[in-house]
Amino acid sequence: MNLPNIKDARIRTNNKINYMEAKNIKSDEFKGKKYFIRTYGCQMNVHDSEEIKGILENLGFNETDNLEQADIVVLNTCAIRENAHDKVFGFLGRLKHLKKENPNLIICIGGCMPQEESVANLLKEKYPFVNIVFGTHNISELGSLILEQKEKQQIEVYSIEGNVYEHMDYVRDSKITAWVNIMYGCDKFCTYCIVPFTRGRQRSRKMANILEEVKELKEKGYMEITLLGQNVNAYGKDLEEEVDFATLLENVAKLNIPRIRFVTSHPWDFTDEMINVIAKYDNIMPYIHLPLQSGSSKILKLMGRRYTKEEYINLYNKIKEHIKGVSITTDIIVGFPNETEEDFEETLDVVKKCQFDGAFTFIYSPREGTPASKIKDSISLKEKEERLYRLNEIINDYSLKHNKEYIGKTEEVLIIGTSEKGENKVCGYTKTMKLVNVSNAQSDIGKIIDVKITSAKSFSLDGEKVVFIKN
Ligand code: 5AD
Ligand code: SF4
């Protein structure tokens, strides 16, 4: 994508930009002031926000969840579908009013949206009250941008990826579960997807650095880590050292952190070695998110997904056969341009054959600059909505069916916090990532406990802590 509004480089080293000088800046300039952050989108953004929080706290800010009390507001945005944009622009309307009441309010927009040329231009022309606009490649610069804040709007977005940074001062949302980036960006260029443009080409972290971070997390008492990347099983393909995801996963497992999981996997890169490692280690959770996107081989080809319906089903069956009790979830897009009823029925057919534990389902959203957005589409939105509805009905039926299989069983549950269900309940996850609301376990937050499952809904289970009575 050509981004004329977006700068090309600062200091280039090996064709990458070096923003290093801006890392972990510390100052008490904003001591006593408050920040409000809102995060849109995927886990990658959630983790980026932990980095942003670290940057803000290094400048002296403290977090508030009360927008009216904030001295600085940061929106960490997502560009994956149009509705993600709409939410941000809706919120910006509210911020405009707030700024009238408090002209000193600093408004920052970062993340994936500003990486799009049209958005960067729009912010410049129509939203001059936004003080700082930054991209995914220069998050680490946010501290210096705030300190050097100018009278007029600052847009600092780069089209070229930055280096892979180590030792950032994250402020993590949880003391129990932690995200660990293993790679940034994506090289797959699925034809509908904006990620390779907003997050750049794949850059893996060195294995030694990842292992060091996991070791530190274990020492701090973290119970679960999630290895993060747009396509984790392509890990290492861009590195000089000969390392792949299976090797990394095995080395992480040997560090004995109680629970390890990873997101997201691309079926094309899923190797037998990975399956063997997951099956071999008890602390690797038997849970895999394996995006299908479509069940029609014709549409998969148009999507550039590199596998057919049959190849997906074969992989799915192989995983189920080798990893005991594994749960598999997926992502599905309905209404890719010119998807026919027959194509859609192929998707339903895969869903019926695989019987996923759960799925995130989306209506295709054309993204500017992607190859699929240039295809003229003859299918109406109404038809797409109907397909989504039909798909969700089936998906939810299977989720409920799988969840009901847990009733009466005793499961190990990592308790992560109080439950939204109230009634003094806590909640946590099974090894297979089923959400469980648990009664009589208020003092067990942060622990893995045995829970007897008593009832099941489509999206959660209920259970009671198993109390062993000593004779
Ligand atoms: N339209 C709809 N859904 C999309 N996704 C990615 N790009 C688009 C798009 N243009 C979905 C895919 C991906 C998930 C994170 O978002 O299913 O796996
Ligand atoms: Fe997007 Fe495809 Fe990369 Fe996933 S694998 S981030 S869908 S380009």
PDB file of all heavy atoms in Angstrom, residues 340-373:
ATOM      1  N   THR A 340     -21.441 -18.158  -3.503  1.00  0.00           N
ATOM      2  CA  THR A 340     -22.783 -18.641  -3.867  1.00  0.00           C
ATOM      3  C   THR A 340     -23.373 -19.435  -2.703  1.00  0.00           C
ATOM      4  O   THR A 340     -22.661 -19.794  -1.750  1.00  0.00           O
ATOM      5  CB  THR A 340     -22.714 -19.581  -5.089  1.00  0.00           C
ATOM      6  OG1 THR A 340     -21.896 -20.702  -4.713  1.00  0.00           O
ATOM      7  CG2 THR A 340     -22.131 -18.887  -6.319  1.00  0.00           C
ATOM      8  N   GLU A 341     -24.657 -19.748  -2.823  1.00  0.00           N
ATOM      9  CA  GLU A 341     -25.312 -20.586  -1.812  1.00  0.00           C
ATOM     10  C   GLU A 341     -24.575 -21.934  -1.702  1.00  0.00           C
ATOM     11  O   GLU A 341     -24.356 -22.442  -0.605  1.00  0.00           O
ATOM     12  CB  GLU A 341     -26.783 -20.765  -2.207  1.00  0.00           C
ATOM     13  CG  GLU A 341     -27.604 -21.708  -1.317  1.00  0.00           C
ATOM     14  CD  GLU A 341     -27.703 -21.266   0.154  1.00  0.00           C
ATOM     15  OE1 GLU A 341     -27.580 -20.065   0.441  1.00  0.00           O
ATOM     16  OE2 GLU A 341     -27.880 -22.157   1.016  1.00  0.00           O
ATOM     17  N   GLU A 342     -24.134 -22.461  -2.850  1.00  0.00           N
ATOM     18  CA  GLU A 342     -23.403 -23.753  -2.831  1.00  0.00           C
ATOM     19  C   GLU A 342     -22.088 -23.610  -2.059  1.00  0.00           C
ATOM     20  O   GLU A 342     -21.715 -24.491  -1.289  1.00  0.00           O
ATOM     21  CB  GLU A 342     -23.099 -24.246  -4.266  1.00  0.00           C
ATOM     22  CG  GLU A 342     -24.310 -24.711  -5.068  1.00  0.00           C
ATOM     23  CD  GLU A 342     -25.201 -23.546  -5.516  1.00  0.00           C
ATOM     24  OE1 GLU A 342     -24.657 -22.461  -5.807  1.00  0.00           O
ATOM     25  OE2 GLU A 342     -26.438 -23.718  -5.526  1.00  0.00           O
ATOM     26  N   ASP A 343     -21.407 -22.507  -2.307  1.00  0.00           N
ATOM     27  CA  ASP A 343     -20.141 -22.283  -1.577  1.00  0.00           C
ATOM     28  C   ASP A 343     -20.426 -22.239  -0.084  1.00  0.00           C
ATOM     29  O   ASP A 343     -19.704 -22.838   0.729  1.00  0.00           O
ATOM     30  CB  ASP A 343     -19.501 -20.937  -1.971  1.00  0.00           C
ATOM     31  CG  ASP A 343     -19.003 -20.926  -3.405  1.00  0.00           C
ATOM     32  OD1 ASP A 343     -18.479 -21.958  -3.848  1.00  0.00           O
ATOM     33  OD2 ASP A 343     -19.157 -19.878  -4.062  1.00  0.00           O
ATOM     34  N   PHE A 344     -21.483 -21.503   0.279  1.00  0.00           N
ATOM     35  CA  PHE A 344     -21.810 -21.364   1.700  1.00  0.00           C
ATOM     36  C   PHE A 344     -22.162 -22.724   2.307  1.00  0.00           C
ATOM     37  O   PHE A 344     -21.764 -23.045   3.432  1.00  0.00           O
ATOM     38  CB  PHE A 344     -22.962 -20.366   1.871  1.00  0.00           C
ATOM     39  CG  PHE A 344     -23.420 -20.247   3.296  1.00  0.00           C
ATOM     40  CD1 PHE A 344     -22.570 -19.783   4.287  1.00  0.00           C
ATOM     41  CD2 PHE A 344     -24.710 -20.632   3.664  1.00  0.00           C
ATOM     42  CE1 PHE A 344     -22.984 -19.696   5.612  1.00  0.00           C
ATOM     43  CE2 PHE A 344     -25.132 -20.555   4.982  1.00  0.00           C
ATOM     44  CZ  PHE A 344     -24.268 -20.087   5.953  1.00  0.00           C
ATOM     45  N   GLU A 345     -22.884 -23.535   1.514  1.00  0.00           N
ATOM     46  CA  GLU A 345     -23.229 -24.871   2.038  1.00  0.00           C
ATOM     47  C   GLU A 345     -21.986 -25.735   2.265  1.00  0.00           C
ATOM     48  O   GLU A 345     -21.968 -26.592   3.141  1.00  0.00           O
ATOM     49  CB  GLU A 345     -24.242 -25.548   1.125  1.00  0.00           C
ATOM     50  CG  GLU A 345     -25.648 -25.049   1.469  1.00  0.00           C
ATOM     51  CD  GLU A 345     -26.714 -25.402   0.456  1.00  0.00           C
ATOM     52  OE1 GLU A 345     -26.485 -26.321  -0.345  1.00  0.00           O
ATOM     53  OE2 GLU A 345     -27.764 -24.725   0.485  1.00  0.00           O
ATOM     54  N   GLU A 346     -20.947 -25.492   1.476  1.00  0.00           N
ATOM     55  CA  GLU A 346     -19.665 -26.196   1.710  1.00  0.00           C
ATOM     56  C   GLU A 346     -19.122 -25.809   3.099  1.00  0.00           C
ATOM     57  O   GLU A 346     -18.578 -26.638   3.819  1.00  0.00           O
ATOM     58  CB  GLU A 346     -18.624 -25.795   0.655  1.00  0.00           C
ATOM     59  CG  GLU A 346     -18.973 -26.189  -0.764  1.00  0.00           C
ATOM     60  CD  GLU A 346     -18.581 -27.601  -1.089  1.00  0.00           C
ATOM     61  OE1 GLU A 346     -17.607 -28.086  -0.513  1.00  0.00           O
ATOM     62  OE2 GLU A 346     -19.266 -28.242  -1.911  1.00  0.00           O
ATOM     63  N   THR A 347     -19.269 -24.545   3.440  1.00  0.00           N
ATOM     64  CA  THR A 347     -18.826 -24.091   4.772  1.00  0.00           C
ATOM     65  C   THR A 347     -19.637 -24.806   5.848  1.00  0.00           C
ATOM     66  O   THR A 347     -19.081 -25.341   6.817  1.00  0.00           O
ATOM     67  CB  THR A 347     -18.971 -22.554   4.901  1.00  0.00           C
ATOM     68  OG1 THR A 347     -18.141 -21.945   3.915  1.00  0.00           O
ATOM     69  CG2 THR A 347     -18.558 -22.069   6.278  1.00  0.00           C
ATOM     70  N   LEU A 348     -20.973 -24.843   5.649  1.00  0.00           N
ATOM     71  CA  LEU A 348     -21.815 -25.532   6.636  1.00  0.00           C
ATOM     72  C   LEU A 348     -21.414 -27.005   6.738  1.00  0.00           C
ATOM     73  O   LEU A 348     -21.407 -27.584   7.832  1.00  0.00           O
ATOM     74  CB  LEU A 348     -23.299 -25.430   6.252  1.00  0.00           C
ATOM     75  CG  LEU A 348     -23.921 -24.032   6.283  1.00  0.00           C
ATOM     76  CD1 LEU A 348     -25.413 -24.100   5.963  1.00  0.00           C
ATOM     77  CD2 LEU A 348     -23.702 -23.344   7.629  1.00  0.00           C
ATOM     78  N   ASP A 349     -21.048 -27.576   5.596  1.00  0.00           N
ATOM     79  CA  ASP A 349     -20.655 -28.988   5.583  1.00  0.00           C
ATOM     80  C   ASP A 349     -19.397 -29.215   6.449  1.00  0.00           C
ATOM     81  O   ASP A 349     -19.336 -30.164   7.233  1.00  0.00           O
ATOM     82  CB  ASP A 349     -20.402 -29.422   4.130  1.00  0.00           C
ATOM     83  CG  ASP A 349     -20.148 -30.908   4.020  1.00  0.00           C
ATOM     84  OD1 ASP A 349     -20.913 -31.678   4.643  1.00  0.00           O
ATOM     85  OD2 ASP A 349     -19.173 -31.298   3.344  1.00  0.00           O
ATOM     86  N   VAL A 350     -18.418 -28.315   6.324  1.00  0.00           N
ATOM     87  CA  VAL A 350     -17.201 -28.460   7.144  1.00  0.00           C
ATOM     88  C   VAL A 350     -17.568 -28.289   8.627  1.00  0.00           C
ATOM     89  O   VAL A 350     -17.092 -29.037   9.487  1.00  0.00           O
ATOM     90  CB  VAL A 350     -16.101 -27.430   6.746  1.00  0.00           C
ATOM     91  CG1 VAL A 350     -14.875 -27.593   7.630  1.00  0.00           C
ATOM     92  CG2 VAL A 350     -15.714 -27.607   5.286  1.00  0.00           C
ATOM     93  N   VAL A 351     -18.430 -27.314   8.912  1.00  0.00           N
ATOM     94  CA  VAL A 351     -18.823 -27.077  10.306  1.00  0.00           C
ATOM     95  C   VAL A 351     -19.480 -28.348  10.863  1.00  0.00           C
ATOM     96  O   VAL A 351     -19.203 -28.753  11.998  1.00  0.00           O
ATOM     97  CB  VAL A 351     -19.759 -25.847  10.410  1.00  0.00           C
ATOM     98  CG1 VAL A 351     -20.372 -25.745  11.797  1.00  0.00           C
ATOM     99  CG2 VAL A 351     -18.979 -24.575  10.090  1.00  0.00           C
ATOM    100  N   LYS A 352     -20.322 -28.972  10.066  1.00  0.00           N
ATOM    101  CA  LYS A 352     -20.997 -30.188  10.547  1.00  0.00           C
ATOM    102  C   LYS A 352     -20.000 -31.336  10.715  1.00  0.00           C
ATOM    103  O   LYS A 352     -20.100 -32.136  11.640  1.00  0.00           O
ATOM    104  CB  LYS A 352     -22.113 -30.591   9.580  1.00  0.00           C
ATOM    105  CG  LYS A 352     -23.321 -29.678   9.709  1.00  0.00           C
ATOM    106  CD  LYS A 352     -24.385 -30.000   8.678  1.00  0.00           C
ATOM    107  CE  LYS A 352     -25.418 -28.882   8.654  1.00  0.00           C
ATOM    108  NZ  LYS A 352     -26.187 -28.854   7.416  1.00  0.00           N
ATOM    109  N   LYS A 353     -19.029 -31.430   9.813  1.00  0.00           N
ATOM    110  CA  LYS A 353     -18.044 -32.521   9.914  1.00  0.00           C
ATOM    111  C   LYS A 353     -17.097 -32.289  11.098  1.00  0.00           C
ATOM    112  O   LYS A 353     -16.734 -33.222  11.805  1.00  0.00           O
ATOM    113  CB  LYS A 353     -17.249 -32.641   8.619  1.00  0.00           C
ATOM    114  CG  LYS A 353     -18.091 -33.208   7.471  1.00  0.00           C
ATOM    115  CD  LYS A 353     -17.217 -33.668   6.318  1.00  0.00           C
ATOM    116  CE  LYS A 353     -18.014 -34.537   5.356  1.00  0.00           C
ATOM    117  NZ  LYS A 353     -18.567 -33.772   4.228  1.00  0.00           N
ATOM    118  N   CYS A 354     -16.690 -31.051  11.284  1.00  0.00           N
ATOM    119  CA  CYS A 354     -15.684 -30.777  12.329  1.00  0.00           C
ATOM    120  C   CYS A 354     -16.322 -30.537  13.709  1.00  0.00           C
ATOM    121  O   CYS A 354     -15.692 -30.784  14.720  1.00  0.00           O
ATOM    122  CB  CYS A 354     -14.835 -29.558  11.954  1.00  0.00           C
ATOM    123  SG  CYS A 354     -13.789 -29.848  10.518  1.00  0.00           S
ATOM    124  N   GLN A 355     -17.519 -30.050  13.717  1.00  0.00           N
ATOM    125  CA  GLN A 355     -18.206 -29.770  14.991  1.00  0.00           C
ATOM    126  C   GLN A 355     -17.295 -28.980  15.937  1.00  0.00           C
ATOM    127  O   GLN A 355     -16.923 -29.456  17.014  1.00  0.00           O
ATOM    128  CB  GLN A 355     -18.660 -31.075  15.646  1.00  0.00           C
ATOM    129  CG  GLN A 355     -19.489 -31.937  14.730  1.00  0.00           C
ATOM    130  CD  GLN A 355     -20.274 -33.006  15.467  1.00  0.00           C
ATOM    131  OE1 GLN A 355     -20.159 -33.192  16.670  1.00  0.00           O
ATOM    132  NE2 GLN A 355     -21.089 -33.726  14.730  1.00  0.00           N
ATOM    133  N   PHE A 356     -16.981 -27.773  15.537  1.00  0.00           N
ATOM    134  CA  PHE A 356     -16.048 -26.939  16.319  1.00  0.00           C
ATOM    135  C   PHE A 356     -16.563 -26.686  17.729  1.00  0.00           C
ATOM    136  O   PHE A 356     -17.762 -26.621  17.963  1.00  0.00           O
ATOM    137  CB  PHE A 356     -15.846 -25.592  15.622  1.00  0.00           C
ATOM    138  CG  PHE A 356     -15.190 -25.704  14.283  1.00  0.00           C
ATOM    139  CD1 PHE A 356     -15.932 -25.585  13.114  1.00  0.00           C
ATOM    140  CD2 PHE A 356     -13.828 -25.957  14.179  1.00  0.00           C
ATOM    141  CE1 PHE A 356     -15.330 -25.700  11.873  1.00  0.00           C
ATOM    142  CE2 PHE A 356     -13.216 -26.069  12.941  1.00  0.00           C
ATOM    143  CZ  PHE A 356     -13.973 -25.941  11.782  1.00  0.00           C
ATOM    144  N   ASP A 357     -15.623 -26.480  18.636  1.00  0.00           N
ATOM    145  CA  ASP A 357     -16.002 -26.110  20.005  1.00  0.00           C
ATOM    146  C   ASP A 357     -16.564 -24.688  20.046  1.00  0.00           C
ATOM    147  O   ASP A 357     -17.334 -24.342  20.949  1.00  0.00           O
ATOM    148  CB  ASP A 357     -14.787 -26.205  20.941  1.00  0.00           C
ATOM    149  CG  ASP A 357     -14.525 -27.642  21.326  1.00  0.00           C
ATOM    150  OD1 ASP A 357     -13.899 -28.354  20.521  1.00  0.00           O
ATOM    151  OD2 ASP A 357     -14.980 -28.058  22.410  1.00  0.00           O
ATOM    152  N   GLY A 358     -16.140 -23.877  19.118  1.00  0.00           N
ATOM    153  CA  GLY A 358     -16.638 -22.501  19.063  1.00  0.00           C
ATOM    154  C   GLY A 358     -16.105 -21.841  17.809  1.00  0.00           C
ATOM    155  O   GLY A 358     -15.175 -22.359  17.171  1.00  0.00           O
ATOM    156  N   ALA A 359     -16.697 -20.707  17.437  1.00  0.00           N
ATOM    157  CA  ALA A 359     -16.212 -20.016  16.242  1.00  0.00           C
ATOM    158  C   ALA A 359     -16.516 -18.531  16.328  1.00  0.00           C
ATOM    159  O   ALA A 359     -17.547 -18.131  16.865  1.00  0.00           O
ATOM    160  CB  ALA A 359     -16.850 -20.599  14.989  1.00  0.00           C
ATOM    161  N   PHE A 360     -15.592 -17.740  15.811  1.00  0.00           N
ATOM    162  CA  PHE A 360     -15.861 -16.326  15.582  1.00  0.00           C
ATOM    163  C   PHE A 360     -16.285 -16.209  14.131  1.00  0.00           C
ATOM    164  O   PHE A 360     -15.566 -16.680  13.240  1.00  0.00           O
ATOM    165  CB  PHE A 360     -14.604 -15.480  15.826  1.00  0.00           C
ATOM    166  CG  PHE A 360     -14.142 -15.523  17.246  1.00  0.00           C
ATOM    167  CD1 PHE A 360     -13.020 -16.274  17.606  1.00  0.00           C
ATOM    168  CD2 PHE A 360     -14.832 -14.826  18.240  1.00  0.00           C
ATOM    169  CE1 PHE A 360     -12.594 -16.324  18.917  1.00  0.00           C
ATOM    170  CE2 PHE A 360     -14.405 -14.876  19.554  1.00  0.00           C
ATOM    171  CZ  PHE A 360     -13.291 -15.625  19.895  1.00  0.00           C
ATOM    172  N   THR A 361     -17.448 -15.635  13.914  1.00  0.00           N
ATOM    173  CA  THR A 361     -17.967 -15.576  12.548  1.00  0.00           C
ATOM    174  C   THR A 361     -18.150 -14.116  12.138  1.00  0.00           C
ATOM    175  O   THR A 361     -18.541 -13.278  12.946  1.00  0.00           O
ATOM    176  CB  THR A 361     -19.315 -16.304  12.462  1.00  0.00           C
ATOM    177  OG1 THR A 361     -20.199 -15.737  13.434  1.00  0.00           O
ATOM    178  CG2 THR A 361     -19.157 -17.789  12.734  1.00  0.00           C
ATOM    179  N   PHE A 362     -17.835 -13.830  10.881  1.00  0.00           N
ATOM    180  CA  PHE A 362     -17.852 -12.440  10.418  1.00  0.00           C
ATOM    181  C   PHE A 362     -18.469 -12.358   9.029  1.00  0.00           C
ATOM    182  O   PHE A 362     -18.319 -13.282   8.226  1.00  0.00           O
ATOM    183  CB  PHE A 362     -16.416 -11.900  10.298  1.00  0.00           C
ATOM    184  CG  PHE A 362     -15.565 -12.189  11.489  1.00  0.00           C
ATOM    185  CD1 PHE A 362     -14.648 -13.247  11.474  1.00  0.00           C
ATOM    186  CD2 PHE A 362     -15.669 -11.417  12.641  1.00  0.00           C
ATOM    187  CE1 PHE A 362     -13.847 -13.516  12.566  1.00  0.00           C
ATOM    188  CE2 PHE A 362     -14.869 -11.679  13.747  1.00  0.00           C
ATOM    189  CZ  PHE A 362     -13.963 -12.730  13.710  1.00  0.00           C
ATOM    190  N   ILE A 363     -19.105 -11.208   8.770  1.00  0.00           N
ATOM    191  CA  ILE A 363     -19.492 -10.910   7.384  1.00  0.00           C
ATOM    192  C   ILE A 363     -18.292 -10.249   6.735  1.00  0.00           C
ATOM    193  O   ILE A 363     -17.655  -9.368   7.339  1.00  0.00           O
ATOM    194  CB  ILE A 363     -20.724  -9.983   7.345  1.00  0.00           C
ATOM    195  CG1 ILE A 363     -21.955 -10.754   7.836  1.00  0.00           C
ATOM    196  CG2 ILE A 363     -20.956  -9.432   5.932  1.00  0.00           C
ATOM    197  CD1 ILE A 363     -23.243  -9.979   7.806  1.00  0.00           C
ATOM    198  N   TYR A 364     -17.971 -10.667   5.538  1.00  0.00           N
ATOM    199  CA  TYR A 364     -16.829 -10.096   4.822  1.00  0.00           C
ATOM    200  C   TYR A 364     -16.950  -8.571   4.756  1.00  0.00           C
ATOM    201  O   TYR A 364     -18.010  -8.035   4.432  1.00  0.00           O
ATOM    202  CB  TYR A 364     -16.761 -10.681   3.403  1.00  0.00           C
ATOM    203  CG  TYR A 364     -15.832  -9.912   2.506  1.00  0.00           C
ATOM    204  CD1 TYR A 364     -14.451 -10.022   2.640  1.00  0.00           C
ATOM    205  CD2 TYR A 364     -16.342  -9.033   1.542  1.00  0.00           C
ATOM    206  CE1 TYR A 364     -13.600  -9.284   1.840  1.00  0.00           C
ATOM    207  CE2 TYR A 364     -15.497  -8.294   0.733  1.00  0.00           C
ATOM    208  CZ  TYR A 364     -14.128  -8.433   0.892  1.00  0.00           C
ATOM    209  OH  TYR A 364     -13.289  -7.690   0.098  1.00  0.00           O
ATOM    210  N   SER A 365     -15.861  -7.904   5.043  1.00  0.00           N
ATOM    211  CA  SER A 365     -15.835  -6.444   5.011  1.00  0.00           C
ATOM    212  C   SER A 365     -14.702  -6.017   4.067  1.00  0.00           C
ATOM    213  O   SER A 365     -13.540  -6.345   4.311  1.00  0.00           O
ATOM    214  CB  SER A 365     -15.578  -5.956   6.440  1.00  0.00           C
ATOM    215  OG  SER A 365     -15.339  -4.592   6.478  1.00  0.00           O
ATOM    216  N   PRO A 366     -15.037  -5.336   2.961  1.00  0.00           N
ATOM    217  CA  PRO A 366     -13.957  -4.966   2.030  1.00  0.00           C
ATOM    218  C   PRO A 366     -13.002  -3.959   2.658  1.00  0.00           C
ATOM    219  O   PRO A 366     -13.443  -2.971   3.242  1.00  0.00           O
ATOM    220  CB  PRO A 366     -14.713  -4.316   0.854  1.00  0.00           C
ATOM    221  CG  PRO A 366     -16.143  -4.269   1.215  1.00  0.00           C
ATOM    222  CD  PRO A 366     -16.361  -4.870   2.559  1.00  0.00           C
ATOM    223  N   ARG A 367     -11.709  -4.232   2.565  1.00  0.00           N
ATOM    224  CA  ARG A 367     -10.701  -3.331   3.139  1.00  0.00           C
ATOM    225  C   ARG A 367      -9.886  -2.715   2.011  1.00  0.00           C
ATOM    226  O   ARG A 367      -9.295  -3.444   1.205  1.00  0.00           O
ATOM    227  CB  ARG A 367      -9.756  -4.087   4.104  1.00  0.00           C
ATOM    228  CG  ARG A 367     -10.404  -4.920   5.184  1.00  0.00           C
ATOM    229  CD  ARG A 367     -11.485  -4.225   5.991  1.00  0.00           C
ATOM    230  NE  ARG A 367     -11.059  -3.090   6.766  1.00  0.00           N
ATOM    231  CZ  ARG A 367     -11.660  -1.888   6.718  1.00  0.00           C
ATOM    232  NH1 ARG A 367     -12.685  -1.678   5.918  1.00  0.00           N
ATOM    233  NH2 ARG A 367     -11.227  -0.911   7.451  1.00  0.00           N
ATOM    234  N   GLU A 368      -9.863  -1.396   2.028  1.00  0.00           N
ATOM    235  CA  GLU A 368      -9.168  -0.641   0.978  1.00  0.00           C
ATOM    236  C   GLU A 368      -7.724  -1.122   0.802  1.00  0.00           C
ATOM    237  O   GLU A 368      -7.013  -1.304   1.789  1.00  0.00           O
ATOM    238  CB  GLU A 368      -9.177   0.831   1.397  1.00  0.00           C
ATOM    239  CG  GLU A 368      -8.909   1.783   0.280  1.00  0.00           C
ATOM    240  CD  GLU A 368      -8.737   3.194   0.829  1.00  0.00           C
ATOM    241  OE1 GLU A 368      -9.446   3.568   1.773  1.00  0.00           O
ATOM    242  OE2 GLU A 368      -7.860   3.900   0.299  1.00  0.00           O
ATOM    243  N   GLY A 369      -7.340  -1.337  -0.450  1.00  0.00           N
ATOM    244  CA  GLY A 369      -5.953  -1.717  -0.727  1.00  0.00           C
ATOM    245  C   GLY A 369      -5.746  -3.220  -0.802  1.00  0.00           C
ATOM    246  O   GLY A 369      -4.706  -3.677  -1.280  1.00  0.00           O
ATOM    247  N   THR A 370      -6.727  -4.014  -0.342  1.00  0.00           N
ATOM    248  CA  THR A 370      -6.562  -5.475  -0.416  1.00  0.00           C
ATOM    249  C   THR A 370      -7.081  -5.960  -1.768  1.00  0.00           C
ATOM    250  O   THR A 370      -8.001  -5.360  -2.346  1.00  0.00           O
ATOM    251  CB  THR A 370      -7.352  -6.189   0.698  1.00  0.00           C
ATOM    252  OG1 THR A 370      -8.742  -5.866   0.554  1.00  0.00           O
ATOM    253  CG2 THR A 370      -6.885  -5.781   2.070  1.00  0.00           C
ATOM    254  N   PRO A 371      -6.521  -7.060  -2.300  1.00  0.00           N
ATOM    255  CA  PRO A 371      -6.966  -7.541  -3.617  1.00  0.00           C
ATOM    256  C   PRO A 371      -8.464  -7.850  -3.664  1.00  0.00           C
ATOM    257  O   PRO A 371      -9.127  -7.544  -4.654  1.00  0.00           O
ATOM    258  CB  PRO A 371      -6.144  -8.818  -3.827  1.00  0.00           C
ATOM    259  CG  PRO A 371      -4.982  -8.679  -2.914  1.00  0.00           C
ATOM    260  CD  PRO A 371      -5.406  -7.843  -1.771  1.00  0.00           C
ATOM    261  N   ALA A 372      -9.020  -8.429  -2.594  1.00  0.00           N
ATOM    262  CA  ALA A 372     -10.430  -8.827  -2.630  1.00  0.00           C
ATOM    263  C   ALA A 372     -11.354  -7.615  -2.753  1.00  0.00           C
ATOM    264  O   ALA A 372     -12.455  -7.721  -3.321  1.00  0.00           O
ATOM    265  CB  ALA A 372     -10.784  -9.627  -1.373  1.00  0.00           C
ATOM    266  N   SER A 373     -10.908  -6.459  -2.266  1.00  0.00           N
ATOM    267  CA  SER A 373     -11.791  -5.280  -2.292  1.00  0.00           C
ATOM    268  C   SER A 373     -12.043  -4.801  -3.721  1.00  0.00           C
ATOM    269  O   SER A 373     -12.941  -4.013  -3.973  1.00  0.00           O
ATOM    270  CB  SER A 373     -11.208  -4.152  -1.444  1.00  0.00           C
ATOM    271  OG  SER A 373     -10.037  -3.663  -2.052  1.00  0.00           O
TER     272      SER A 373
END
